[in-house]
Amino acid sequence: MKKLINAPDAVVQDALRGMEAAHGDRLRVSYDPAFVVRVDAPVEGKVGLVSGGGSGHEPMHGGFVGPGMLDAACPGEVFTSPTPDQMEAATKAVNGGAGVLHIVKNYTGDVMNFDMAADLGRGEGIEVESVLTNDDVAVEDSLYTAGRRGVGVTVLLEKICGGAAEDRRSLADVAELGRRVNANGRSMGMALTPCITPASGDPSFELGDNEIEIGIGIHGEPGRFREETRSAAEVAERLAGPIVDDLPFNSGDRVLAFVNGMGGTPLIELYVMYGEVARLLGDRGIQIERNLIGNYITSLEMQGCSITLLRLDDEMIRYWDAPVDTPGLRWGV
Amino acid sequence: MPVNRDTVLDWMRRFAGEMAEHRAELVRLDTAIGDGDHGTNMDRGMRKALERLDSADQADAGAVLKTVAMALVSTVGGAAGPLYGTLFLQMGGALAGRDEVDLDGYVEAWRKGLQGVQTRGKAEPGDKTMVDALVPAVDAMERAPDLDTALKEAVDAAERGTRDTIPMVARKGRASYLGERSRGHQDPGATSTYYLYRSAAEALGG
């Protein structure tokens, strides 16, 4: 294993120190319990947005803290959920009197820890609501599993809800909008190579030189199937096809198309993929209104990508376009 | 042995010892069907719990378990943190303010703990989780005539329940994404629960 780290168990804290050094003008970092928070938090009268999850998916979530997006993010150890004391402290730090929304990806640990944190927050007299993301269509039999995983839609939801909260919408409104975003978004990912967590030092799974895995999770959870390496056009079809069929997305729908890199894939390949997705959606009469291309929800150094489609309405477009000023996403400022 | 502050403290020390001793085994079991951190996380959590137990006087058995619960909740993460945290928090609540409890009081505490775990994790027996060790163990204790017998039978039941997870297909947690591929592996959460009973029998039995 070759990594730019000092020690495997210091990675998260060391990265937080880097975040603070780079963005200390707009972010404040708490180390124990660990969370990243807007420097001007709590913003009076604004719904506070808190997310969090295992580290290793940067820039999500800490890179999305700032005006127009999250108020705070709680990083866990690599691929391990953060703990309720972190979330409770973050919840208190962002409570501007209008309530706090927890944005939770559907993983067993994340759900349970946020659940406890919401109980603790309410115990302190703070109004807490939760929105769950579960957009990964690769998980087919969700009745008999922990359910669909939260992936790419999380980024879009954090931006759109962030815009609504900045617009001083109520906690109920922001939560409802978040649930609508999740209900209208679908994703699927694929891997060319596995990733290596600093703690284990070994690949999270084995993949042959000529093999790809379709439907991979962002922690290397197994996908729908493995097969021989394909062209970008064929891979795009294998990802976008099930996404389009699942919602389903229909001719005339307006969408946000998000091509996300897993961390180790060069941007040139993501643009090749985006070109294929655009062609494929065009053939089906689905209209791309907005797009996002880049590494936003990653899996350490994994090579591969995911595609997320979100069926848009006017309100979502308005808050997607609203100004955002975070380390990971920045426009309109 | 009676169930009181000192014996419950001893139980928690022994459980921490089991987690340190079986850390590698739990990592191996969790690597097969999960994310491979169960042993590391439980060992880290119980070491933190002992630190906190050593740094402050505990009023009673309930306070001991609450201290352990909060240490686990804040250091373990994943699913094991909230689940073991909830188990000990509920048990601690049932034992709080009492100098000593008899078998009925102890079983009552386990019943509360089990309910808490199932409410938090929404797992049923057969889902290939710690509940598969907990349910038969608590049932066995309820049928026993005295504390010593109850603990011995709980250990046997937890061990059987843990072994019974091997052919199960996981329906909860990260292992559930493996579907059929989770068959043939022993559940790491049930295994650590078996060690919890074994340490209880050593500390509170006899």
Side-chain angles (χ1 to χ4, degrees), chain B:
Chain B
M1 297 282 231
V3 178
N4 59 31
R5 181 191 64 184
D6 294 341
T7 55
V8 168
L9 254 176
D10 184 38
W11 170 28
M12 288 298 109
R13 287 188 202 291
R14 287 172 191 267
F15 181 50
E18 294 270 24
M19 290 300 95
E21 190 184 334
H22 297 283
R23 173 183 163 134
E25 179 201 358
L26 294 172
V27 163
R28 182 173 51 73
L29 291 172
D30 195 30
T31 301
I33 56 170
D35 52 0
D37 60 4
H38 188 53
T40 322
N41 288 348
M42 287 302 291
D43 180 33
R44 184 177 64 237
M46 283 311 294
R47 272 190 285 129
K48 173 60 82 176
L50 290 195
E51 258 175 50
R52 293 202 191 163
L53 287 175
D54 287 340
S55 68
D57 265 352
Q58 309 295 323
D60 52 36
V64 171
L65 292 178
K66 279 188 182 171
T67 300
V68 172
M70 292 320 290
L72 292 179
V73 159
S74 64
T75 54
V76 173
L83 288 172
Y84 274 104
T86 301
L87 175 70
F88 290 133
L89 210 55
Q90 293 295 327
M91 291 189 78
L95 299 178
R98 299 159 74 174
D99 287 338
E100 203 166 295
V101 295
D102 57 9
L103 174 61
D104 285 349
Y106 188 58
V107 173
E108 173 67 20
W110 274 106
R111 194 50 78 190
K112 286 251 168 63
L114 168 63
Q115 277 164 5
V117 167
Q118 289 197 274
T119 304
R120 185 71 67 202
K122 315 215 162 40
E124 296 294 330
D127 285 346
K128 198 178 183 101
T129 71
M130 67 191 285
V131 167
D132 291 307
L134 274 173
V135 166
V138 176
D139 286 349
M141 276 199 282
E142 223 153 42
R143 290 189 300 264
D146 57 75
L147 183 63
D148 190 40
T149 315
L151 287 164
K152 280 189 180 122
E153 286 178 3
V155 172
D156 289 346
E159 188 177 16
R160 272 197 309 277
T162 299
R163 262 203 319 270
D164 288 347
T165 64
I166 296 174
M168 290 176 188
V169 174
R171 289 188 176 190
K172 284 283 180 286
R174 201 164 279 178
S176 69
Y177 297 121
L178 290 169
E180 281 294 326
R181 282 189 271 173
S182 63
R183 217 188 273 283
H185 299 280
Q186 183 171 305
D187 181 63
T191 309
S192 54
T193 297
Y194 160 63
Y195 290 127
L196 179 65
Y197 278 103
R198 211 165 72 170
S199 49
E202 286 166 9
L204 308 172

Side-chain angles (χ1 to χ4, degrees), chain A residues 147-161:
Chain A
R148 287 185 165 177
R149 302 175 289 246
V151 283
V153 153
T154 316
V155 177
L156 311 182
L157 187 151
E158 288 176 359
K159 168 65 187 81
I160 290 169
C161 287

